[in-house]
């Protein structure tokens, strides 16, 4: 075991994992995270705590992780390289481990242009692949990036993101391979709506033997309304929503219910794709739907290991 | 290579010259003329605006290349008009502004009239793109001659992020994704396998984070770098 986290145990034992996401508040209330933790506690193996997502300032991911943990949820600490240089990243990793965090997710981060401080200086001292490599070195060699010794153990289960829907498509699997080479243990993908394209991506990954080296959790974003689906299709970079889904929502009497059905259909298909070892549900503010969805997808109760 | 500049808002220039009655204006005949930010017509337009605001302009000139050593001679030739002025507004790039300030020997204040934006190349007629960060550890040999440090909005060194779509960067449909260009060039020249190697972390100490960069250039031996500081000095925190 690398970190001995619940997520690691689930994935390494070959079980189908379920993770979700909780964004910290734009304020000081621990209750916001506690509430989300309560909603997600029984239906997920671990919950990602986002790190200034969409470049909007929020309570720190590290603090959020500690609160989530106290509320009985195993956190995955998201870390973006947009806001911290190599010193700050390593310092927060040490602190997070000391406070009981074991799962980490390495990200570039949305560009600051999209957030609420568009005039901020983006740090980008190292990139997300270099962050994976740095974490692996810290864990396996107990050395900082500069080679200095770290005192104490550095248990980490290292994750990263992948977007099979970005361009150039042919390069996407090679990028996944690069992350594997850097030392990643698990991957959470961008939301999958275009299942055939995702299946092609996974086929390429399996052909390269990557499914034997990394656990891929397919991303899922519940659709709340027709407007949301259209918005994601038109404005969210790196997400493709096929017309077929839009049509289904247009025709439905209750778009919200149809949205849940669409996602359940997608999850059913995802389970069958070779190399997919779990799902990652990003409910973006609609956390109360997650348990119902996991239940209906036949993924409850969650295994206790 | 061109230094790309833009004009500062007139309000900012007016704040600088607020306490000055007489102003002297200097333009540059090279990059700033090409950018239409500090050539003869822009200098004369600033003169008009200053005079409209009640200022006196003691004189103006467009130095052929404000960043070179001949600036000293140009300033001497214009000494009479400059002497009369309370300050100088330099409509040149920041290098020109600083060069003029050095040669003025602190006799009177020099204010910039332009913002210096970037070092760019004209990649299509009338269109300039920033292509170099001047980082002192060039990666172009591994990135098909496209610098991701300035051409990628996140300065990524290991390939495109998840926001690359249809060859465009997520920050704007007007911005090409640097990594798409790199990818296409590597494919075209049969070098795609080079993208599999992990680019190591950048040494910023030789770049903008290492303090002011200085070198001595010797006519016979080329660049003479100052001796590296001893290790102990670097660990003092």
């Amino acid at each position: 075991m690398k970190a001995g986290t619940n997520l690691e145990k689930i994935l390494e034992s070959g079980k189908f994992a379920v993770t979700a996401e909780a964004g910290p508040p734009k304020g000081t209330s621990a209750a916001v995270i506690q509430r989300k933790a309560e909603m997600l506690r029984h239906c997920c193996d671990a919950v990602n705590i986002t790190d200034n997502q969409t470049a909007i300032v929020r309570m720190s991911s590290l603090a959020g992780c500690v609160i989530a943990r106290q509320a009985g949820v195993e956190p995955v600490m998201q870390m973006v390289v947009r806001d911290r240089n190599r010193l700050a990243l390593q310092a927060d990793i040490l602190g997070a481990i000391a406070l009981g965090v074991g799962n980490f997710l390495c990200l570039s981060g949305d560009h600051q242009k999209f957030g609420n401080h568009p005039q901020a200086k983006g740090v980008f001292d190292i990139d997300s692949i270099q962050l994976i490599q740095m974490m692996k070195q810290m864990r396996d060699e107990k050395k900082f990036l500069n080679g200095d010794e770290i005192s104490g153990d550095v248990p980490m289960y290292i994750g990263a993101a992948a977007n099979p829907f970005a361009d150039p498509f042919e390069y996407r699997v090679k990028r996944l391979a690069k992350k594997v080479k850097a030392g990643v243990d698990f991957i959470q993908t961008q939301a999958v709506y275009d299942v055939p394209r995702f299946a092609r991506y996974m086929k390429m990954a399996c052909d390269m033997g990557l499914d034997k080296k990394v656990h891929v959790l397919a991303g899922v974003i519940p659709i709340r309304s027709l407007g949301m689906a259209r918005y994601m299709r038109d404005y969210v970079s790196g997400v493709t929503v096929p017309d077929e889904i839009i049509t289904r929502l247009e025709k439905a009497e209750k778009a919200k219910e149809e949205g849940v059905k669409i996602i359940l259909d997608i999850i059913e298909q995802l389970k069958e794709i070779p190399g997919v070892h779990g799902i990652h549900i990003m409910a973006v503010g609609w956390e109360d739907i997650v348990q119902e969805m996991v239940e209906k997808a036949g993924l409850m109760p969650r295994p206790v290991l | 290579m061109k230094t790309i500049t833009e004009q500062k808002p007139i309000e900012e220039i007016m704040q600088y010259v607020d306490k000055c009655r007489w102003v002297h204006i200097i333009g540059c005949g090279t990059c700033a003329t090409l950018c239409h930010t500090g050539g003869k017509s822009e200098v004369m337009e600033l003169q008009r605006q200053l005079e409209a605001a009640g200022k006196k302009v003691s004189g103006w000139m467009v130095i052929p290349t404000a960043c070179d050593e001949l600036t000293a001679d140009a300033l001497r030739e214009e000494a009479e008009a400059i002497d009369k002025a309370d300050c100088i507004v330099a409509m040149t790039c920041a290098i020109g502004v600083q060069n003029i300030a050095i040669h003025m020997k602190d006799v009177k204040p020099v204010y910039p009239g332009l913002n210096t934006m970037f070092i760019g190349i004209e990649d299509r007629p009338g269109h300039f793109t920033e292509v170099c960060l001047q980082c002192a550890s060039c990666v172009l040999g591994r990135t098909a001659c496209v610098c991701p440090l300035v051409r990628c909005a996140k300065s990524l060194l290991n390939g495109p992020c998840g926001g690359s779509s249809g060859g465009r960067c997520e920050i704007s449909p007007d911005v090409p994704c640097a990594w798409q260009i790199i990818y296409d060039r590597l494919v075209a020249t049969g070098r795609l396998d080079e993208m599999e190697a992990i680019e190591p972390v950048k040494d910023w100490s030789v770049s903008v984070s290492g303090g002011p960069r200085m070198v001595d250039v010797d006519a016979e031996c080329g660049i003479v770098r100052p001796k590296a500081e001893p290790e102990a000095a670097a660990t003092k925190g």
Side-chain angles (χ1 to χ4, degrees):
Chain A
M1 284 279 136
K2 288 161 176 167
T5 64
N6 185 47
L7 180 62
E8 181 181 6
K9 286 177 193 159
I10 299 264
L11 287 169
E12 299 303 328
S13 64
K15 296 199 164 45
F16 196 81
V18 177
T19 56
E21 193 171 283
K26 285 167 83 174
T28 55
S29 167
V32 173
I33 295 173
Q34 286 157 353
R35 213 162 42 234
K36 288 182 183 178
E38 190 50 43
M39 280 188 264
L40 300 169
R41 200 149 71 93
H42 302 292
C43 57
C44 304
D45 306 318
V47 173
N48 288 31
I49 307 297
T50 53
D51 184 11
N52 287 340
Q53 80 265 29
T54 62
I56 290 171
V57 179
R58 289 165 186 278
M59 182 190 289
S60 73
S61 172
L62 174 48
C65 284
V66 172
I67 296 165
R69 205 169 162 267
Q70 287 163 350
V73 157
E74 178 173 290
V76 177
M77 181 161 137
Q78 295 198 179
M79 298 190 91
V80 299
V81 297
R82 178 196 60 225
D83 303 336
R84 280 167 291 189
N85 70 5
R86 61 191 80 179
L87 279 86
L89 289 165
Q90 291 179 100
D92 281 352
I93 289 167
L94 298 183
I97 294 170
L99 291 164
V101 178
N103 307 308
F104 293 81
L105 194 82
C106 306
L107 303 166
S108 306
D110 295 312
H111 194 270
Q112 60 274 12
K113 185 201 155 140
F114 298 107
N116 62 355
H117 290 69
Q119 294 181 336
K121 185 179 191 300
V123 177
F124 302 112
D125 173 25
I126 65 175
D127 66 27
S128 60
I129 290 182
Q130 293 162 345
L131 176 59
I132 296 169
Q133 216 174 25
M134 183 175 84
M135 281 187 185
K136 185 176 159 55
Q137 178 181 315
M138 290 174 79
R139 180 189 67 198
D140 296 351
E141 298 172 35
K142 290 215 269 175
K143 280 181 180 159
F144 289 106
L145 184 61
N146 68 344
D148 283 1
E149 295 284 330
I150 301 172
S151 60
D153 286 332
V154 192
M156 273 191 274
Y157 198 49
I158 307 169
N163 187 356
F165 307 100
D167 291 320
F169 178 67
E170 300 71 27
Y171 174 69
R172 288 295 145 185
V173 174
K174 288 185 189 293
R175 184 162 169 81
L176 175 64
K178 212 165 168 176
K179 291 188 176 184
V180 170
K181 193 169 159 186
V184 78
D185 300 309
F186 69 98
I187 290 284
Q188 292 168 329
T189 77
Q190 178 57 279
V192 180
Y193 294 109
D194 185 347
V195 180
R197 177 165 164 158
F198 180 67
R200 273 206 316 280
Y201 170 88
M202 286 309 301
K203 168 87 171 49
M204 288 159 83
C206 292
D207 288 347
M208 286 174 77
L210 297 177
D211 56 319
K212 304 283 184 291
K213 296 175 182 166
V214 70
H215 300 290
V216 175
L217 280 69
V220 171
I221 299 182
I223 302 171
R224 222 170 172 170
S225 65
L226 175 59
M228 178 190 172
R230 283 186 179 143
Y231 180 83
M232 283 197 295
R233 178 191 63 184
D234 299 334
Y235 300 109
V236 180
S237 67
V239 177
T240 41
V241 183
D243 290 339
E244 181 199 324
I245 288 180
I246 305 285
T247 315
R248 256 180 88 173
L249 288 164
E250 279 168 349
K251 284 185 184 159
E253 267 178 39
K254 289 178 181 163
K256 205 169 174 176
E257 284 175 18
E258 188 63 21
V260 173
K261 277 187 201 153
I262 289 171
I263 295 302
L264 289 171
D265 287 350
I266 290 174
I267 294 174
E268 275 318 299
Q269 296 174 63
L270 292 174
K271 282 190 204 163
E272 301 304 317
I273 297 174
V276 174
H277 297 171
I279 52 168
H280 174 57
I281 307 169
M282 296 163 273
V284 252
W286 195 19
E287 283 78 15
D288 51 330
I289 193 66
V290 177
Q291 176 152 349
E292 182 191 326
M293 222 143 104
V294 177
E295 230 158 13
K296 285 183 175 164
L299 295 167
M300 292 270 276
R302 299 306 308 149
V304 180
L305 297 175
Chain B
M1 182 191 92
K2 291 284 180 286
T3 303
I4 309 303
T5 48
E6 63 171 4
Q7 288 197 305
K8 279 189 177 290
I10 188 68
E11 296 76 19
E12 184 179 342
I13 296 173
M14 287 301 177
Q15 273 176 14
Y16 292 142
V17 302
D18 186 41
K19 290 178 186 156
C20 307
R21 184 169 152 76
W22 288 91
V23 179
H24 189 278
I25 310 169
I26 298 176
C28 174
T30 311
C31 305
T33 291
L34 174 121
C35 290
H36 300 285
T37 50
K40 185 180 168 187
S41 51
E42 293 77 38
V43 166
M44 293 182 76
E45 172 58 19
L46 181 62
Q47 175 180 16
R48 192 192 64 73
Q49 288 183 292
L50 288 170
E51 285 173 351
K55 301 290 174 191
K56 304 278 187 191
V57 174
S58 67
W60 61 266
M61 65 172 162
V62 176
I63 295 178
T65 307
C67 61
D68 75 14
E69 68 284 359
L70 295 177
T71 294
D73 299 337
L75 291 170
R76 257 196 304 277
E77 281 166 26
E78 187 72 2
E80 202 177 315
I82 291 176
D83 281 348
K84 201 173 170 188
D86 301 310
C87 73
I88 292 170
V89 173
M91 299 179 78
T92 71
C93 75
I95 304 167
V97 172
Q98 294 176 68
N99 197 30
I100 291 165
I102 288 168
H103 290 298
M104 285 301 298
K105 301 196 192 320
D106 298 334
V107 181
K108 54 191 66 184
V110 180
Y111 295 115
L114 309 181
N115 287 321
T116 301
M117 297 167 74
F118 57 87
I119 307 295
I121 54 167
E122 194 169 10
D123 46 6
R124 57 176 199 265
H127 183 270
F128 290 85
T129 297
E130 179 177 21
V131 290
C132 177
L133 186 69
Q134 299 173 309
C135 72
S137 51
C138 190
V139 299
L140 290 176
R142 301 183 291 281
T143 56
C145 292
V146 173
C147 178
L149 293 165
V150 288
R151 302 281 304 269
C152 167
K154 298 177 185 171
S155 297
L156 301 181
L157 286 170
N158 279 293
C161 74
S164 177
S165 178
R168 303 278 122 186
C169 172
E170 67 176 18
I171 66 161
S172 163
D174 298 328
V175 177
C177 169
W179 277 103
Q180 177 77 54
I181 304 172
I182 296 169
Y183 175 83
D184 291 343
R185 276 196 196 166
L186 290 174
V187 169
T189 49
R191 293 182 287 163
L192 191 58
D193 59 314
E194 288 177 21
M195 253 174 110
E196 288 167 21
I198 297 175
E199 178 72 21
V201 297
K202 187 96 182 145
D203 177 3
W204 291 108
S205 73
V206 294
S207 183
V208 287
S209 293
R213 292 179 276 178
M214 288 173 273
V215 289
D216 296 313
V217 180
D218 185 282
E220 283 174 12
C221 344
I223 286 181
V224 185
R225 288 184 185 279
K227 274 184 194 161
E229 282 182 38
E231 272 299 298
T235 56
K236 277 181 187 166

